[in-house]
């Protein structure tokens, strides 16, 4: 097992994260509202309440972590047409595409509300380790789609 010296250790709000620089994802345009940050590590969430979610961690800013929910391409929430158009415009081969939804947590008095942004999913090209947040010009997709 080869040990890479390219490991970045960050103290984040989700605990200490180690990111292998060779496996980071480049986001050429950044995330919406955070265009200056272009390089991220993607890790499985270590937090029980976020089981099944992933964390997108900026390598340049320990305080910048996005919670991502892998999108099930067969769920039909986003139309096949819209998915196909986005994948085509981003020039990602269908077998290399991963789609993630940016998740927001809001603490209510009685529960934790999780919502995902259906209007601006993150499309990942797994072969090139690149990703783009793609904004659908479509009012049908809710920026705060509640999930359970």
């Amino acid at each position: 097992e080869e040990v890479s010296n390219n490991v970045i250790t960050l103290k984040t709000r989700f605990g200490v994260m180690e990111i292998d620089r060779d496996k980071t994802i480049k986001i050429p345009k950044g995330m919406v509202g955070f265009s200056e940050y272009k390089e991220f590590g993607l890790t499985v969430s270590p937090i029980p309440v976020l089981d099944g979610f992933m964390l997108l961690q900026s390598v340049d800013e320990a305080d910048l972590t996005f919670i991502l929910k892998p999108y099930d391409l067969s769920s039909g929430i986003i139309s096949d047409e819209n998915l196909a158009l986005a994948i085509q415009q981003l020039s990602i081969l269908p077998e290399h595409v991963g789609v993630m939804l940016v998740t927001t947590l809001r603490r209510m008095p009685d529960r934790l509300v999780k919502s995902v942004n259906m209007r601006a999913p993150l499309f990942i090209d797994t072969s090139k380790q690149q990703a783009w947040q793609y904004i659908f010009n479509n009012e049908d997709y809710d920026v705060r789609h509640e999930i359970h």
Side-chain angles (χ1 to χ4, degrees):
E1 184 178 13
E2 217 172 285
V3 179
S4 158
N5 293 334
N6 281 347
V7 173
I8 305 152
T9 304
L10 295 167
K11 286 195 171 86
T12 76
R13 62 188 165 128
F14 297 101
V16 174
M17 267 190 226
E18 292 194 341
I19 297 166
D20 184 342
R21 200 99 211 208
D22 301 331
K23 295 184 179 150
T24 58
I25 292 173
K26 306 286 191 302
I27 305 183
K29 295 183 175 158
M31 298 290 282
V32 173
F34 300 92
S35 57
E36 64 270 38
Y37 300 103
K38 316 262 191 221
E39 192 178 3
F40 292 84
L42 189 61
T43 58
V44 175
S45 169
I47 299 164
V49 72
L50 291 176
D51 191 33
F53 290 79
M54 302 201 74
L55 300 177
L56 185 71
Q57 175 61 52
S58 166
V59 297
D60 302 307
E61 176 51 72
D63 291 337
L64 187 61
T65 314
F66 294 94
I67 302 167
L68 299 180
K69 173 114 179 107
Y71 174 69
D72 175 1
L73 289 167
S74 64
S75 72
I77 300 172
I78 299 172
S79 77
D80 289 347
E81 278 167 300
N82 283 333
L83 283 172
L85 186 65
I87 291 165
Q88 184 189 355
Q89 285 183 354
L90 296 170
S91 305
I92 305 174
L93 293 171
E95 60 270 27
H96 295 155
V97 73
V99 181
M100 300 275 187
L101 303 172
V102 179
T103 306
T104 306
L105 303 179
R106 293 197 311 281
R107 200 168 283 292
M108 297 300 190
D110 56 336
R111 64 193 177 113
L112 189 63
V113 175
K114 298 183 192 112
S115 61
V116 290
N117 184 341
M118 298 300 301
R119 196 169 310 158
L122 187 69
F123 284 79
I124 300 174
D125 184 330
T126 55
S127 67
K128 295 181 182 153
Q129 290 176 232
Q130 284 196 314
W132 298 268
Q133 196 171 10
Y134 187 92
I135 300 170
F136 290 116
N137 187 7
N138 188 325
E139 298 296 315
D140 296 342
Y141 300 130
D142 194 350
V143 292
R144 281 196 170 174
H145 179 87
E146 216 173 287
I147 55 172
H148 304 289

